[in-house]
Amino acid sequence: MQPEQIVVKSDDPRCVELEAAGWVVVSRSWAAQVTASSVDIDVLSGAVRRGRRPGDVREIEDGDLESVLLLDYMTLADYLGGVATEHDPLTTSTARVKHTRRGFGAFDGGGRAFAITYVDVDGRAAETDFTSSLQNFAGWASARR
């Protein structure tokens, strides 16, 4: 983050004060928070079942890394950059899942990733690092050739 930038939520009371002082919005990010105690397991399980229709939704494994790296490369232009949507390209090391960095993906029948998300875990808290997906799953074959 550049020294002249700050990050505030859109409903932060300081927004009015900052805008009056000449600050301008240079990027936005959609964000969400899930509190485990408020999760409806049936709704979440249904979403996972629906997500499996075109493929398999599961944790990323070492055997998936080539496909995950390709998807990440194919979607790099989707990140506008700046503090709200910054994303560093994955490497084999940063794509590998471990207990403090979980990764999940949706994979087609051939094992090709068409959606991925990575979450950094710190104790009982987790923060989404990034999520990428192909805009048009049907376009995967032409993108692969």
Side-chain angles (χ1 to χ4, degrees), residues 13-31:
R14 294 175 296 163
C15 289
V16 173
E17 177 183 319
L18 290 166
E19 289 173 359
W23 288 80
V24 296
V25 175
V26 295
S27 58
R28 297 181 186 278
S29 176
W30 179 86

Side-chain angles (χ1 to χ4, degrees), residues 29 40 46-47 56 70 83 86 96 99 101 111 124 134 137 141:
S29 176
D40 184 328
D56 185 26
L70 177 60
V83 68
E86 191 170 34
R96 187 164 279 124
H99 74 281
R101 181 165 174 81
R124 294 177 51 117
L134 291 176
F137 173 60

Side-chain angles (χ1 to χ4, degrees), residues 7-10 25-32 80-86 127-129:
V7 178
V8 293
K9 290 176 57 178
S10 60
V25 175
V26 295
S27 58
R28 297 181 186 278
S29 176
W30 179 86
L80 304 174
V83 68
T85 59
E86 191 170 34
E127 179 73 28
T128 301
D129 181 20

Side-chain angles (χ1 to χ4, degrees), residues 58-140:
R58 60 179 168 72
E59 189 156 17
I60 293 168
E61 301 168 351
D62 281 354
D64 301 318
L65 295 182
E66 183 179 335
S67 179
V68 166
L69 290 170
L70 177 60
L71 174 63
D72 186 58
Y73 174 78
M74 291 171 53
T75 58
L76 284 176
D78 296 342
Y79 295 93
L80 304 174
V83 68
T85 59
E86 191 170 34
H87 171 63
D88 293 325
L90 288 175
T91 65
T92 301
S93 177
T94 59
R96 187 164 279 124
V97 173
K98 50 191 172 189
H99 74 281
T100 57
R101 181 165 174 81
R102 307 285 301 275
F104 300 89
F107 299 87
D108 71 7
R112 294 172 296 203
F114 59 90
I116 56 175
T117 190
Y118 277 81
V119 179
D120 295 318
V121 180
D122 182 12
R124 294 177 51 117
E127 179 73 28
T128 301
D129 181 20
F130 75 96
T131 300
S132 291
S133 66
L134 291 176
Q135 293 179 4
N136 179 1
F137 173 60
W140 171 260

